[in-house]
Amino acid sequence: MKRKAVFVLAAVLLLLTTGCWNRRELNDLAIVMAVGIDKVDGEYLLSTQIVNPGGVAASKDGAGGTQSAVATYSMRSADIFEGIRRLTTMTPRRLYFSHIQVLVLGEQVAREGTKEVLDLLFRDHEVRPDFYVILAKDTSALHILSMLDPLEKIPATKLYKSLETGEKAWGSVISIQLDEFITQLLSEGSEPVLVGVTVKGKVQTGSNGNNPQQESVSTLLKYEDIGVFKEDKLQGWFNEKESIGFSYITDRLDSTVEAIPCDKNSKLIIEIIHSKSTLDGRVVNGKPQVEVKIEAEGNVGEVACAIDLAKSQTIYKLEREVEKRIKEKIQNVITKAQKQFHSDAFGFGQVIYQNDPKGWEKVKHNWNEAFVDLKVKINVDVKLRRTGKVGNSFIPFIKKD
């Protein structure tokens, strides 16, 4: 009887385990690596960058074929979902979005509002929300996806890797994934931001097959500036120095450099190798207050000055100079966010909520107005650890005629 029961149970399990009922063969799919969304004459221009397996294989085995590793298809439509379906009239395979690495939003789309655009991608069960979202600055998303690169056969991979590399080495670049952007949209006391990418050179040159083969590439993609939002609409841009100040405040900075001028013709470069930001916010006597504390470590990276690095007093003076420049960047970016964009891109309201929930309840209903006049105290502490394998620079001692 017991054996019979086991047999019946096994038979039931076999019936329930029916295999991959919704499987799709790889040969029937077009794998989308990047998506671009622009606005043209009131309609969406949807662009998709699709992997060309033949082109990728040719580049790996050294066959030297002329096939591109990707193909870019675009379609205009009144709605994003409709545009995706209409793209199937152009592509030989069904679009498969599970491997998206980058979403590029055109500047006009970002200024008019992103919530409708992002809702579809966040809702679709086939799309994973862990891809990066970036803004096309002074160009279109279609042009960004059309650019070829000499080091990466798949441009979407170039965008993906450059974003991660730039964020670690240069403080003006930040990486924001779709789910993080949505979280910023929904959080009280915080506004979203996205990094911009632009084309340096002629678009026509970078989008043809010859550009990657040139010894000196005339057209490249470059991450530049940070776009500041108010709710889901782009308000404007932090420039490079302001973007570095933003990264200091929000604890996104891994490494960057600070330049200290010695005179009109020479300067000293400090490499920031570590930075830690601590934020504290409270409501005192009905007025919100925020304090920003930055602790940074650095090394002397380049010296073209006649200074004595062996003296502790010289190092102390350099530390104070670096602190001054970091504080200026922070103050400038806060002022711009308050006076020009009226957008709490730093999440100061969220900091007050976390540290003083009762106080936040008193100011949250008019936080937009309160943020504009918010008093922010800035403290910066910098320690220089190393001066390099040589002490003082040899440059001032070079013989002159």
Side-chain angles (χ1 to χ4, degrees):
M1 185 68 182
K2 189 175 181 180
R3 292 180 60 187
K4 185 177 181 180
V6 173
F7 176 79
V8 172
L9 179 61
V12 172
L13 290 175
L14 286 174
L15 290 173
L16 294 176
T17 311
T18 56
C20 299
W21 61 272
N22 64 340
R23 70 173 185 176
R24 283 168 285 180
E25 297 294 338
L26 184 61
N27 291 337
D28 298 329
L29 300 177
I31 298 176
V32 179
M33 300 297 291
V35 175
I37 303 176
D38 294 299
K39 207 71 174 293
V40 179
D41 299 330
E43 289 187 316
Y44 290 109
L45 176 62
L46 177 68
S47 306
T48 56
Q49 188 177 104
I50 300 171
V51 175
N52 177 10
V56 175
S59 64
K60 286 184 177 181
D61 61 20
T66 59
Q67 281 187 305
S68 173
V70 295
T72 303
Y73 294 88
S74 60
M75 174 66 69
R76 287 177 59 169
S77 178
D79 302 292
I80 302 297
F81 192 80
E82 177 185 325
I84 292 175
R85 289 301 179 90
R86 292 181 65 184
L87 268 173
T88 60
T89 64
M90 301 174 60
T91 59
R93 304 178 182 182
R94 180 175 177 179
L95 300 177
Y96 186 63
F97 290 89
S98 289
H99 295 284
I100 296 177
Q101 291 183 313
V102 177
L103 169 64
V104 186
L105 299 178
E107 192 166 341
Q108 186 175 351
V109 171
R111 290 191 180 276
E112 292 183 5
T114 61
K115 55 180 180 288
E116 290 87 0
V117 173
L118 299 180
D119 178 78
L120 170 63
L121 295 172
F122 194 69
R123 182 184 302 275
D124 194 330
H125 69 278
E126 191 178 88
V127 180
R128 294 178 297 187
D130 59 352
F131 53 84
Y132 292 126
V133 185
I134 59 179
L135 297 175
K137 185 175 185 289
D138 300 326
T139 186
S140 67
L142 174 58
H143 287 159
I144 295 296
L145 296 188
S146 300
M147 295 298 101
L148 302 178
D149 188 83
L151 297 181
E152 291 290 343
K153 296 298 181 182
I154 301 176
T157 303
K158 178 263 187 293
L159 287 169
Y160 184 92
K161 290 183 177 180
S162 292
L163 187 58
E164 294 190 334
T165 303
E167 185 176 38
K168 292 178 181 178
W170 190 245
S172 68
V173 179
I174 61 171
S175 61
I176 303 291
Q177 294 180 339
L178 176 62
D179 50 358
E180 183 180 357
F181 185 81
I182 298 295
T183 299
Q184 291 175 346
L185 274 176
L186 299 177
S187 299
E188 288 186 341
S190 179
E191 299 290 352
V193 293
L194 290 175
V195 72
V197 63
T198 189
V199 178
K200 293 299 181 181
K202 296 180 179 180
V203 174
Q204 291 80 3
T205 304
S207 59
N208 64 43
N210 295 324
N211 186 60
Q213 300 174 12
Q214 298 173 1
E215 291 185 6
S216 180
V217 181
S218 58
T219 307
L220 287 173
L221 295 176
K222 178 189 177 185
Y223 284 107
E224 183 176 86
D225 302 343
I226 292 176
V228 184
F229 286 74
K230 186 69 174 292
E231 295 180 353
D232 70 322
K233 295 182 179 180
L234 178 66
Q235 302 298 306
W237 300 89
F238 290 148
N239 63 30
E240 186 174 61
K241 289 184 178 181
E242 294 162 349
S243 297
I244 294 175
F246 172 85
S247 294
Y248 273 119
I249 295 172
T250 56
D251 206 24
R252 291 178 175 272
L253 190 140
D254 287 327
S255 179
T256 189
V257 298
E258 297 290 343
I260 300 175
C262 306
D263 50 48
K264 293 182 179 180
N265 301 317
S266 58
K267 57 185 177 180
L268 184 145
I269 302 298
I270 300 297
E271 177 195 15
I272 301 298
I273 58 174
H274 174 74
S275 175
K276 176 63 179 177
S277 170
T278 304
L279 304 182
D280 183 52
R282 303 185 183 277
V283 177
V284 180
N285 297 325
K287 294 185 178 181
Q289 300 177 2
V290 169
E291 182 177 10
V292 178
K293 293 182 180 179
I294 306 294
E295 295 180 354
E297 297 180 8
N299 297 328
V300 177
E302 179 182 339
V303 180
C305 313
I307 60 174
D308 189 355
L309 292 176
K311 294 183 178 180
S312 59
Q313 197 169 18
T314 302
I315 300 298
Y316 178 81
K317 184 178 178 181
L318 289 177
E319 290 174 343
R320 303 293 82 78
E321 286 293 328
V322 177
E323 290 172 358
K324 177 182 176 182
R325 274 154 180 76
I326 293 176
K327 189 173 182 179
E328 285 177 354
K329 286 185 174 73
I330 293 174
Q331 186 60 67
N332 289 341
V333 72
I334 292 175
T335 300
K336 189 170 186 177
Q338 289 179 316
K339 306 306 180 184
Q340 186 171 335
F341 301 143
H342 303 167
S343 173
D344 184 6
F346 318 102
F348 288 154
Q350 187 66 210
V351 172
I352 295 175
Y353 166 71
Q354 293 172 354
N355 291 278
D356 187 5
K358 292 182 179 179
W360 173 248
E361 289 296 323
K362 299 177 182 178
V363 300
K364 72 175 185 179
H365 299 293
N366 64 335
W367 178 243
N368 290 334
E369 293 76 17
F371 171 74
V372 174
D373 299 318
L374 178 67
K375 301 299 181 183
V376 181
K377 184 179 179 181
I378 305 170
N379 291 312
V380 181
D381 182 39
V382 174
K383 300 297 182 185
L384 297 183
R385 300 304 183 190
R386 298 177 180 85
T387 60
K389 66 180 182 180
V390 296
N392 298 327
S393 174
F394 64 85
I395 295 178
F397 303 99
I398 294 178
K399 292 183 290 184
K400 299 179 180 179
D401 294 334

